[in-house]
Amino acid sequence: MPTNRLQQLYALDYKSYSFAKSVIICANCFEWMARIPKESIHAIVTDPPYGVKEYQPDQLEKRENGNGGVWRIPPSFDGHKRSPLPRFTALNQKEINRLQKHFLDWARLVSQILRPGGHIFLASNALLSQTVFTSILDAGFEFRGQVIRLVKTLRGGDRPKNAEKEFSNVCTMPRSCYEPWGIFRKPLLNGMTVSECLEEFQTGGLRRKPDGNPFTDVIESERTSQKERGIANHPSLKPQSFLRQVVYSALPLGEGIVVDPFMGSGSTVAAAEAIKYSCIGVECYDKYYTMSRQAIPALENLNTGDVQLSLSIC
């Protein structure tokens, strides 16, 4: 779909900006999804906020000022300055219940805009994935497995707070060495086969790798490089080397529209642009929306070293 047509159909009356094949929109994704054409989106690839409140303006301001708030400002580790992380373990039961309802409501709206057979790729973490994944299933989606991003994030592994010396041989939880991404599919129409769904809706499956092998559920990754963080200063920025593989798999025929409802600084849109996919990024926080206009082209042009993926789009 031409970018101007994409913008006409989906930007509505929101502030928007277009790239070669994609559009970004400054809007609340709940409101936006309730207004766009039903069953017109082919896939969702997103890394949502999980504390619900950590991306509120007051909490972002505290993070930027180094005061923390819901953000944990970790000490330097082996001479390396670590990025702030949301205090997921600090959520009380009321906040967890709110989280469940938040994602249940979100998934119900996603179900309205996705075509039958369309997939959701949802970034998560080991602490909250079970809670959030259950909400997606309660909205009527099928669980289709997980993508395990193998990466040492330096989360966890801490000694008991204020008793580090007394209990020096104890850690309160494992240090995380992976990041789970839930894969969900909107059910096919009754009696419909995957091949029929592919023919009618261009959905239902996942795209194989450029070498013909199946998309796999474990991807070796790395922490987001300082070069990428220098382009887009967002606390949840994922590396292009990983995102391009996930986005590539989301459209089984290599055609259609990918949406990131929690766009942040635009890394999913950049990955889509890099592999010549059409993508819509939606971000409610104006600072990140504005940042993405410059960040997306810069991230898109990064060389990730994936020769096969590059050759497949030439």
Side-chain angles (χ1 to χ4, degrees):
M1 182 182 296
T3 310
N4 59 348
R5 181 64 174 156
L6 196 68
Q7 198 166 11
Q8 289 172 8
L9 285 175
Y10 293 99
L12 306 177
D13 50 3
Y14 299 108
K15 180 165 60 175
S16 64
Y17 187 82
S18 63
F19 299 92
K21 294 182 70 67
S22 303
V23 172
I24 58 173
I25 300 168
C26 189
N28 178 291
C29 73
F30 284 77
E31 178 185 292
W32 177 79
M33 287 192 292
R35 297 180 62 191
I36 68 169
K38 307 301 181 187
E39 297 192 343
S40 61
I41 302 302
H42 298 74
I44 302 285
V45 178
T46 194
D47 178 13
Y50 271 86
V52 179
K53 61 185 180 182
E54 72 263 31
Y55 287 103
Q56 294 299 315
D58 63 323
Q59 296 297 328
L60 287 171
E61 183 178 353
K62 288 180 181 180
R63 174 184 178 271
E64 291 178 1
N65 293 336
N67 295 329
V70 77
W71 290 89
R72 176 176 178 266
I73 310 296
S76 296
F77 182 81
D78 289 347
H80 297 284
K81 185 177 179 180
R82 294 189 285 172
S83 300
L85 300 169
R87 299 175 190 266
F88 297 124
T89 54
L91 295 178
N92 59 37
Q93 189 58 52
K94 182 179 179 180
E95 290 168 333
I96 291 173
N97 292 341
R98 181 186 172 201
L99 185 73
Q100 291 175 315
K101 184 179 186 305
H102 173 85
F103 278 98
L104 177 62
D105 293 344
W106 178 81
R108 285 171 172 165
L109 285 169
V110 170
S111 183
Q112 292 180 24
I113 67 172
L114 267 186
R115 294 185 172 200
H119 281 79
I120 299 173
F121 286 80
L122 187 76
S124 186
N125 62 73
L127 284 174
L128 296 177
S129 59
Q130 182 177 2
T131 298
V132 174
F133 290 0
T134 299
S135 295
I136 308 299
L137 295 177
D138 287 345
F141 283 87
E142 303 168 346
F143 183 64
R144 304 293 288 182
Q146 299 179 74
V147 174
I148 300 301
R149 178 187 169 215
L150 291 180
V151 58
K152 292 185 178 180
T153 62
L154 297 181
R155 292 185 175 96
D158 295 326
R159 294 178 173 86
K161 187 177 180 181
N162 299 324
E164 291 86 353
K165 291 183 179 180
E166 183 180 359
F167 299 103
S168 61
N169 293 324
V170 176
C171 56
T172 56
M173 61 178 293
R175 171 161 288 166
S176 179
C177 294
Y178 77 101
E179 180 180 76
W181 284 60
I183 306 175
F184 306 89
R185 186 175 72 177
K186 182 175 175 178
L188 280 59
L189 299 181
N190 288 336
M192 177 174 272
T193 64
V194 171
S195 60
E196 291 170 340
C197 190
L198 287 165
E199 289 175 358
E200 184 169 347
F201 299 113
Q202 301 80 52
T203 57
L206 303 175
R207 193 174 186 182
R208 286 178 171 263
K209 296 180 179 181
D211 62 6
N213 285 316
F215 176 70
T216 54
D217 62 4
V218 176
I219 298 177
E220 291 189 13
S221 186
E222 71 282 338
R223 300 182 71 197
T224 306
S225 69
Q226 289 302 312
K227 183 175 183 179
E228 288 178 79
R229 291 195 179 281
I231 293 171
N233 183 25
H234 188 279
S236 299
L237 188 69
K238 298 294 186 286
Q240 285 294 298
S241 58
F242 171 77
L243 274 178
R244 292 178 190 181
Q245 295 181 67
V246 173
V247 173
Y248 183 85
S249 73
L251 298 181
L253 303 182
E255 57 187 67
I257 303 170
V258 177
V259 166
D260 184 350
F262 303 102
M263 176 185 72
S265 54
S267 53
T268 301
V269 180
E273 284 284 296
I275 60 174
K276 312 304 180 189
Y277 277 11
S278 295
C279 184
I280 301 172
V282 182
E283 174 58 42
C284 66
Y285 189 41
D286 187 76
K287 177 180 176 180
Y288 290 143
Y289 167 81
T290 301
M291 180 194 300
S292 71
R293 290 181 54 168
Q294 284 73 45
I296 288 169
L299 292 171
E300 173 197 351
N301 290 324
L302 287 176
N303 182 358
T304 63
D306 194 330
V307 177
Q308 284 190 331
L309 200 59
S310 298
L311 289 174
S312 72
I313 61 176
C314 291

